Amino acid sequence: MAFSADELRVLRRVLAIALHPTPLPDEDVQDCLRLAGAVDEAVGEAGRLRTFLLADLVRYRNTLPGSVSGYLELLQDALAGGYDPRPDDLAALRALRHRPVAAALLERCQALAERSVRARLAGRSAPSAAPAPRSRLLALPGGRAADAEPERPKTPAAPPRPAPPSERPAPKPSEVFPPRRPVPPPQQRAAG
């Protein structure tokens, strides 16, 4: 995640305020709220991108062996992002292990899958596919909320479950490119 110069300026002020709480002007409170909103938006966008990439990985896996290079590249990217390989991934890699890249990925995926199973058996949960929800920044020390009555603790709401990727099949070429209709030949006029 990259911050702009203005966002870094706000972040530096927020960190300084966190270390030495002082009353904040309304402008600083608004800057902090805008920064929190931008961070929330970036986290949400990262989650949507991850969902898209994992759906793309499934599509490539389903079209193997024709999409080997694309599948292996997407799998490497997904593993770098914390993806736990599924049994389908291990089966696909076993079928492709005659390729050096697939053989190396198979070893890596088997180790990750084994670690994930051991973690589940030990009672710990395996790394989740979705990022943990981040709490919203509701008030800053010395901001507008300091004058208001103290806020009652809220019970955390359950995070919304992501919608499963649609299993809509790929469109047929005839759906994307409708058939051409014959064009009638231009009528010839009689020379007169």
Side-chain angles (χ1 to χ4, degrees):
M1 183 181 302
F3 291 103
S4 71
D6 288 335
E7 290 170 336
L8 285 175
R9 180 182 49 80
V10 171
L11 190 57
R12 180 183 289 163
R13 278 194 323 224
V14 169
L15 291 173
I17 291 166
L19 292 174
H20 306 286
T22 58
L24 292 176
D26 284 346
E27 181 182 322
D28 287 348
V29 171
Q30 291 303 317
D31 287 345
C32 292
L33 291 174
R34 274 193 295 277
L35 179 62
V39 169
D40 286 341
E41 187 178 325
V43 168
E45 185 62 31
R48 286 188 292 276
L49 178 62
R50 180 177 172 80
T51 301
F52 172 78
L53 290 176
L54 293 180
D56 214 20
L57 179 67
V58 170
R59 281 191 293 274
Y60 272 77
R61 184 177 58 228
N62 290 339
T63 59
L64 285 173
S67 61
V68 173
S69 61
Y71 172 71
L72 295 176
E73 185 178 323
L74 283 172
L75 183 58
Q76 287 175 335
D77 291 344
L79 292 174
Y83 173 71
D84 273 340
R86 308 284 187 260
D88 292 341
D89 294 312
L90 295 172
L93 289 171
R94 283 186 194 105
L96 300 170
R97 68 177 152 220
H98 62 278
R99 295 173 176 260
V101 175
L105 273 174
L106 177 60
E107 288 180 27
R108 182 176 172 196
C109 287
Q110 285 174 332
L112 289 172
E114 183 178 330
R115 185 179 61 189
S116 177
V117 168
R118 287 181 190 270
R120 276 185 262 141
L121 290 175
R124 295 177 286 148
S125 62
S128 64
R134 193 174 73 78
S135 61
R136 298 281 302 161
L137 178 63
L138 298 176
L140 297 172
R144 279 193 229 155
D147 299 333
E149 65 182 57
E151 201 174 317
R152 291 184 215 111
K154 295 181 180 179
T155 58
R161 292 182 173 245
S166 65
E167 295 296 327
R168 185 176 161 257
K172 297 177 192 172
S174 62
E175 294 172 345
V176 177
F177 304 105
R180 293 185 179 172
R181 297 198 184 346
V183 178
Q187 296 179 356
Q188 294 181 358
R189 296 186 179 176

